[in-house]
Amino acid sequence: MNHAAKQRGLRRRRPNYDDSSSSWLVTYSDAITLLLAFFVMILSVSDLNQGKVEALQQGLAEVNASQQPTTPFTDIKRGLDDFVKENGLEDQVSVTLDQRGVQIEFANVALYDSGSADLKDNALPLLQELSRVIRDVSGDSHMVEVEGHTDGVPITTEQFPSNWELSSARATHVVKYLLASGIAKERLKASGFADSRPKPVIDGESLEQQRKDNRRVVVAVRRY
């Protein structure tokens, strides 16, 4: 083969590139994917409030029985649950965790006589324990919201022309007690809802039981 033919053969031969020269693209692609996943996670977490975080911690703790959740909201629930059980108040007080924090619901009979907004004497130890737990466990970043609720039976008295005034007065009296117990006024809020936010009706529940369930005061400890 002459020299010209050899040159033509070389030009026709396909170059043999080393595949390792493009391996950096795989590493680069992995890094970009990880960064994207990281920023998506940061965005998701930024929308969570303290209640949601603590609810997640509690759920994880339930999966791993050896781990006990320790958060302000769960500590409040634990402390109040112990007091309620020790004093046999299970049918008058319930404490639940939700995505926003902890919620303490008092049946009306636990705090007030019918048609009254004056706290009963035997309600004071319960509110005293509530105040102590909130002071000792929660921080300045927690708001304490008190809601008054009534049933749909109209009330018309000189002191309470309607259920709006009655529910507001009941919530306000609880707030005043918490304030006197050392909880800062900036953290307290009172709201009266009358019968505008009834609880869901349970199948087979009598009308009288529905009314009883709706006569309640709710204290919610939330993060600002």
Side-chain angles (χ1 to χ4, degrees), residues 41-183:
M41 181 186 70
I42 292 297
L43 252 170
S44 301
V45 172
S46 67
D47 290 335
L48 293 177
N49 56 34
Q50 182 67 12
K52 292 179 181 178
V53 171
E54 293 183 2
L56 174 61
Q57 290 176 338
Q58 185 191 29
L60 292 175
E62 290 174 354
V63 172
N64 181 5
S66 63
Q67 179 185 358
Q68 294 297 323
T70 54
T71 67
F73 296 145
T74 52
D75 284 345
I76 291 174
K77 184 181 189 306
R78 188 177 297 113
L80 292 176
D81 278 342
D82 290 343
F83 182 86
V84 168
K85 185 175 181 179
E86 290 170 4
N87 292 272
L89 299 172
E90 291 90 344
D91 61 335
Q92 299 182 22
V93 184
S94 64
V95 188
T96 56
L97 287 173
D98 58 28
Q99 291 183 336
R100 298 180 57 203
V102 62
Q103 181 170 286
I104 307 99
E105 183 176 306
F106 299 91
N108 182 67
V109 67
L111 303 179
Y112 304 105
D113 290 324
S114 179
S116 172
D118 296 326
L119 290 168
K120 296 163 62 172
D121 290 340
N122 57 5
L124 300 184
L126 179 56
L127 291 178
Q128 184 178 13
E129 180 66 12
L130 172 65
S131 302
R132 184 194 67 78
V133 171
I134 292 176
R135 284 197 318 269
D136 293 351
V137 177
S138 67
D140 293 338
S141 62
H142 292 93
M143 188 80 178
V144 183
E145 303 176 0
V146 182
E147 301 174 356
H149 300 267
T150 69
D151 59 27
V153 179
I155 183 174
T156 304
T157 65
E158 184 177 350
Q159 186 178 9
F160 305 116
S162 73
N163 281 322
W164 290 104
E165 287 82 6
L166 177 59
S167 62
S168 298
R170 286 176 170 174
T172 300
H173 284 190
V174 173
V175 162
K176 286 183 176 180
Y177 186 93
L178 298 177
L179 179 63
S181 300
I183 299 177

Side-chain angles (χ1 to χ4, degrees), residues 198-224:
K199 300 182 72 172
V201 177
I202 300 175
D203 290 341
E205 191 176 47
S206 67
L207 179 59
E208 182 54 37
Q209 185 61 46
Q210 294 173 30
R211 290 172 175 172
K212 181 180 177 181
D213 292 343
N214 285 322
R215 297 191 294 266
R216 68 199 191 276
V217 170
V218 178
V219 179
V221 184
R222 312 293 193 197
R223 193 170 182 83
Y224 280 121

